[in-house]
Amino acid sequence: MNEKDPARLVFEGKAGKGIVVSLIDMGGRLRLIVQDIEAVKPIMPMPNLPVARVMWRALPDLTTGVECWITAGGAHHTVLSYDVTAEQMRDWARMMDIEFVHIGADTTPEKLEEELLVKDLVWKLK
């Protein structure tokens, strides 16, 4: 049996606008959480880990973005894209009959909590 490390894709991210996406199981429905981000040039050397490496700023800001991500149930497993937009992910979620949550520059914890409450009621009525 060969116990060498498995082959892994390693690359450095680039600066620019993007999104991070997480798909979670809500126990009866799926929820797709999309957050707008701004990828930035690292302020220090990235660790030499056998994984993709990129730093980003969560929108609208770190504190609010993290609070909203956790409130929505966001997982630590995410996908980052520089090319796919939140609107494209919304369209895909609609086609797949998946609940969609978008965290962007105008999102507040209070507005998100209200949105999640309404979405929960709508999904229960389906």
Side-chain angles (χ1 to χ4, degrees):
M1 182 171 177
N2 186 351
E3 295 190 15
K4 290 185 178 181
D5 289 335
R8 297 178 189 197
L9 180 62
V10 177
F11 64 90
E12 299 291 333
K14 63 181 180 179
K17 293 182 182 216
I19 60 172
V20 289
V21 180
S22 183
L23 181 64
I24 61 168
D25 184 344
M26 295 295 293
R29 71 180 188 271
L30 295 174
R31 175 181 286 168
L32 186 70
I33 304 167
V34 175
Q35 183 169 24
D36 296 334
I37 58 111
E38 180 73 31
V40 296
K41 182 178 178 182
I43 57 175
M44 64 181 81
M46 297 293 282
N48 190 20
L49 300 173
V51 295
R53 296 183 287 261
V54 63
M55 293 184 82
W56 69 82
R57 272 190 223 105
L59 294 178
D61 59 69
L62 179 61
T63 304
T64 305
V66 169
E67 181 177 350
C68 290
W69 186 264
I70 292 169
T71 298
H76 67 279
H77 290 283
T78 62
V79 173
L80 183 146
S81 177
Y82 296 101
D83 299 316
V84 177
T85 67
E87 188 60 36
Q88 289 169 323
M89 294 306 299
R90 180 187 313 273
D91 292 343
W92 180 79
R94 190 175 295 127
M95 288 186 283
M96 297 294 110
D97 198 28
I98 296 172
E99 179 185 359
F100 179 82
V101 174
H102 182 210
I103 302 167
D106 297 327
T107 304
T108 66
E110 297 78 17
K111 284 180 9 182
L112 181 65
E113 286 178 20
E114 289 177 16
E115 176 186 338
L116 293 174
L117 176 62
V118 170
K119 287 178 185 254
D120 189 48
L121 292 171
V122 168
W123 279 92
K124 287 178 179 173
L125 293 172
K126 279 188 169 192

